[in-house]
């Protein structure tokens, strides 16, 4: 299967012509001579303000973070996802991580499987957290396996029922399914043959590049694309066709994806209702038959496969521009988040969505200065969620704080209502992030640094200090205890 080139410039992701490694960009700029420079130095005065803000943020790292790791990427990654926990220890856990390498075709595009050491809360020393090198690779992240991907990897999503199974989107109509344990480790050199996916999901009539989701309830896959459609598959459909054939290879231990001579299945359903490219999709957390989608037509659509292929609810003007991302609250299924090119994030209550296409959000969050690329609810607390954007920021919000501010009449000096933490460690657009399920306040995030530093990307794994999200009374009691301890020490 060959990836087809995009028929028109993308409305999101990397600008055309910037897929180059950092070292190559720097060598070109210096006429072939080696060059030493700080990241973010491209553009002269244009980035001076950003450099100053970054320097201020770096000074606060040991105060704001319980743990922080920075991993410099030679090539940019457009997606990152947590895999299974491999080992648990006293001071750290080992966990699988999936990310991609988007190259300029001098070497193949790849799906990277890495093993990460995740330091447990209140273990890392402050001086260790602060002394990271932006141009280095952290020892906490080690490459485990490389899969040569057919085309660039735009999106990665893991299967909740077996996190060794991942789905990927590239510049083609199909969704590719990979059993990462069964796949052989490959060397990414020019001319190397592409790895063969364990299963191909067909059903789109045009390229499907970004919109991709896996179901928490059952092994179902959801996708959206340029054909303006939302497509639903069940991986179980492939398993059932092989159930009577004991001679086929069964993949990794416990795998629900099995290799076959023609590993491809068609959809359970195709859903039409958008008027432009579908940019993101998400399942209702408790159902494989209920899901939502957003697109470049500014619409938020809710679907129910049990009652047909037409929209259940269609919000015609969810935002004032293209919608890039959507997420469904796993703690309270009434709430849905959307992020848009209009720089805002909206929270909708599905109980108040109307079929006439006119619905107001519960609240609109305004804390970004560029298009929002990713939204995700916290795995730990119902009211908390994160948002990332092309402004290089990853904001953490708490909707409950909006209500508290309204009730008390208090206004923060500059912070938008609900914003309680801002991760400013990336130097360019933050294209993807994910909360950890096994360590709920730990986040992995990736930025595409092509426009800012001339190429490559950054992977960061971080956890804010728990003094910021624990109950106020508990935090004050701990600080008082610490104060009393300091006073006693001074007496001695």
């Amino acid at each position: 299967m060959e990836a087809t080139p995009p028929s028109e410039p993308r409305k999101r992701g990397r600008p055309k012509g910037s897929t180059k490694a950092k070292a190559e960009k720097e060598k070109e700029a210096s006429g072939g001579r080696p060059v030493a420079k700080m990241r973010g130095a491209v553009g002269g005065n244009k980035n001076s303000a950003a450099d100053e803000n970054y320097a201020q943020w770096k000074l606060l790292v040991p105060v704001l973070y319980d743990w922080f790791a920075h991993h410099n990427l030679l090539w940019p990654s457009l997606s990152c996802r947590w895999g299974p926990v491999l080992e648990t220890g006293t001071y750290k856990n080992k966990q699988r991580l999936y990310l991609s390498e988007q190259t300029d075709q001098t070497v193949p595009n790849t799906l990277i499987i890495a093993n990460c050491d995740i330091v447990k809360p209140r273990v890392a020393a402050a001086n260790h957290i602060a002394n990271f090198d932006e141009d280095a690779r952290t020892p906490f992240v080690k490459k485990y396996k490389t899969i040569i991907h057919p085309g660039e990897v735009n999106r990665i999503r893991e299967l909740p029922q077996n996190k060794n199974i991942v789905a990927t989107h590239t510049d083609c109509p199909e969704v590719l399914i990979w059993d990462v344990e069964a796949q052989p480790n490959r060397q990414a050199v020019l001319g190397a043959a592409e790895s063969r996916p364990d299963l191909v999901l067909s059903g789109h009539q045009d390229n499907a590049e970004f919109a991709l989701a896996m179901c928490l309830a059952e092994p179902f896959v959801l996708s959206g694309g340029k054909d303006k459609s939302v497509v639903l598959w069940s991986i179980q459909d492939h398993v059932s066709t092989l159930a009577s054939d004991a001679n086929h290879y069964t993949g990794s231990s416990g795998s629900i994806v099995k290799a076959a001579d023609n590993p491809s299945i068609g959809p359970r359903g195709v859903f039409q209702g958008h008027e432009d490219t579908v940019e993101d999709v998400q399942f209702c957390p408790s159902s494989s038959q209920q899901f939502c989608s957003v697109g470049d037509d500014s619409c938020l659509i809710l679907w129910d496969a049990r009652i047909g292929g037409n929209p259940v609810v269609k919000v015609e003007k969810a935002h004032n521009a293209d919608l890039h991302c959507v997420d469904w609250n796993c703690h309270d299924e009434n709430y849905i988040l959307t992020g848009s090119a209009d720089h805002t994030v909206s929270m909708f209550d599905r109980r108040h969505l109307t079929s006439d296409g006119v619905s107001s959000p519960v609240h609109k969050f305004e804390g970004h200065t560029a298009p929002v690329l990713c939204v995700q609810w916290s795995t730990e607390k119902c009211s908390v969620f994160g948002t990332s954007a092309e402004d290089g920021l990853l904001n953490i919000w708490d909707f409950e704080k909006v209500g508290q501010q309204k009730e008390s009449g208090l206004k923060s000096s500059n912070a938008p209502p609900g914003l309680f933490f801002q991760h400013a460690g990336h130097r360019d657009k933050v294209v993807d992030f994910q909360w950890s399920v096994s360590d709920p306040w730990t986040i992995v995030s990736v930025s595409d640094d092509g426009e800012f530093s001339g190429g490559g990307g950054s992977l960061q794994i971080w956890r804010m200090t728990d003094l910021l999200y624990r109950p106020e009374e508990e935090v004050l009691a701990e600080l008082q205890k610490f104060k009393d301890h300091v006073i006693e020490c001074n007496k001695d």
Side-chain angles (χ1 to χ4, degrees):
M1 182 191 61
E2 296 183 356
T4 56
S7 58
E8 59 185 18
R10 289 188 192 157
K11 297 187 179 182
R12 0 177 357 198
R14 166 172 291 281
K16 185 177 180 181
S18 61
T19 49
K20 289 193 176 182
K22 285 192 179 86
E24 183 182 349
K25 284 280 192 176
E26 293 172 5
K27 186 175 180 181
E28 289 179 358
S30 64
R33 299 184 304 276
V35 58
K37 71 178 181 65
M38 293 179 60
R39 293 183 60 196
V42 174
N45 293 332
K46 185 174 87 170
N47 292 319
S48 59
D51 286 339
E52 183 178 349
N53 291 338
Y54 178 79
Q56 293 174 352
W57 167 83
K58 191 171 182 180
L59 289 174
L60 294 172
V61 166
V63 178
L64 296 175
Y65 295 83
D66 177 73
W67 184 58
F68 177 83
H70 176 96
H71 193 71
N72 185 32
L73 300 174
L74 180 65
W75 298 102
S77 177
L78 294 184
S79 193
C80 61
R81 302 296 285 185
W82 292 112
V85 175
L86 305 174
E87 299 175 9
T88 57
T90 304
Y91 301 108
K92 62 182 180 181
N93 296 332
K94 186 183 292 293
Q95 188 166 358
R96 190 62 46 81
L97 181 68
Y98 305 120
L99 62 154
S100 64
E101 289 182 324
Q102 184 191 22
T103 72
D104 62 355
Q105 307 304 318
T106 58
V107 292
N109 292 286
T110 58
L111 172 63
I112 301 296
I113 297 92
N115 291 336
C116 303
D117 289 329
I118 310 300
V119 176
K120 289 191 173 182
R122 299 205 167 198
V123 170
N127 62 339
H128 176 78
I129 297 172
N131 296 328
F132 67 90
D133 183 353
E134 295 96 334
D135 295 307
R137 296 189 173 191
T138 176
F140 293 104
V141 178
K142 291 182 173 61
K143 186 182 292 188
Y144 166 71
K145 184 180 288 188
T146 299
I147 294 172
I148 298 180
H149 199 271
E152 64 186 40
V153 184
N154 299 326
R155 187 62 62 91
I156 306 167
R157 290 295 179 261
E158 77 287 357
L159 188 67
Q161 293 78 21
N162 183 347
K163 291 190 176 182
N164 287 319
I165 307 297
V166 299
T168 58
H169 256 329
T170 185
D171 297 333
C172 73
E174 291 80 22
V175 177
L176 308 183
I177 305 294
W178 307 87
D179 181 340
V180 299
E181 287 299 319
Q183 285 288 328
N185 188 25
R186 303 290 301 280
Q187 187 175 2
V189 295
L190 184 62
E194 296 172 345
S195 299
R196 182 185 178 188
D198 294 275
L199 183 62
V200 176
L201 310 184
S202 60
H204 280 291
Q205 303 304 310
D206 201 346
N207 286 356
E209 297 175 346
F210 289 103
L212 183 62
M214 297 287 220
C215 179
L216 286 171
E218 299 179 68
F220 276 65
V221 182
L222 195 63
S223 171
K226 288 187 174 181
D227 57 1
K228 309 172 188 177
S229 64
V230 175
V231 184
L232 177 69
W233 297 269
S234 171
I235 296 180
Q236 290 293 144
D237 290 346
H238 179 57
V239 176
S240 63
T241 64
L242 302 176
S244 60
D245 191 347
N247 295 321
H248 278 299
Y249 175 64
T250 58
S252 63
S253 178
S255 173
I256 63 170
V257 173
K258 300 176 175 63
D261 293 333
N262 297 297
S264 179
I265 59 171
R268 284 282 185 98
V270 179
F271 303 86
Q272 304 284 350
H274 283 281
E275 301 299 325
D276 207 334
T277 299
V278 180
E279 290 282 9
D280 202 10
V281 291
Q282 190 57 256
F283 282 98
C284 174
S286 64
S287 173
S288 63
Q289 303 301 303
Q290 294 177 281
F291 40 89
C292 62
S293 59
V294 295
D296 290 342
D297 55 4
S298 302
C299 292
L300 164 65
I301 300 181
L302 271 61
W303 312 85
D304 191 332
R306 298 167 297 186
I307 61 176
N310 294 321
V312 174
V313 176
K314 183 174 182 178
V315 182
E316 296 277 2
K317 199 73 173 176
H319 285 261
N320 294 321
D322 300 353
L323 271 70
H324 288 164
C325 45
V326 64
D327 196 30
W328 207 313
N329 194 316
C330 60
H331 301 283
D332 187 337
E333 295 180 359
N334 291 313
Y335 295 119
I336 296 171
L337 287 174
T338 57
S340 171
D342 66 6
H343 309 178
T344 69
V345 174
S346 290
M347 185 174 83
F348 290 93
D349 186 334
R350 68 168 173 170
R351 294 168 296 187
H352 301 152
L353 298 180
T354 57
S355 57
D356 60 7
V358 180
S359 298
S360 298
V362 175
H363 188 77
K364 181 174 286 189
F365 299 87
E366 300 176 320
H368 288 288
T369 59
V372 178
L373 299 179
C374 187
V375 296
Q376 190 185 20
W377 290 100
S378 165
T379 56
E380 176 71 4
K381 187 177 179 183
C382 176
S383 60
V384 172
F385 61 92
T387 64
S388 69
E390 291 186 9
D391 56 12
L393 298 175
L394 202 167
N395 291 337
I396 306 299
W397 309 79
D398 188 342
F399 175 64
E400 286 183 353
K401 295 185 181 297
V402 175
Q404 291 169 0
Q405 289 176 356
K406 288 180 179 179
E407 290 174 7
S408 64
L410 296 177
K411 290 186 178 180
S412 178
S413 55
N414 293 312
L419 179 65
F420 79 96
F421 188 83
Q422 192 168 74
H423 177 63
H426 290 285
R427 310 301 299 275
D428 211 330
K429 55 180 177 285
V430 183
V431 290
D432 200 12
F433 74 91
Q434 188 184 21
W435 301 82
S436 171
V437 175
S438 59
D439 188 353
W441 288 94
T442 300
I443 292 175
V444 60
S445 53
V446 287
S447 60
D448 175 356
D449 299 342
E451 294 181 10
F452 192 86
S453 64
S458 297
L459 167 74
Q460 295 181 349
I461 306 174
W462 53 276
R463 180 173 54 241
M464 72 180 79
T465 175
D466 61 11
L467 299 177
L468 295 175
Y469 58 79
R470 284 164 50 205
E472 183 178 352
E473 298 79 8
E474 186 178 316
V475 171
L476 292 175
E478 179 178 333
L479 293 176
Q480 183 62 48
K481 185 177 180 180
F482 178 74
K483 179 182 177 181
D484 295 340
H485 175 72
V486 171
I487 291 173
E488 285 298 319
C489 291
N490 288 336
K491 287 180 181 179
D492 296 339

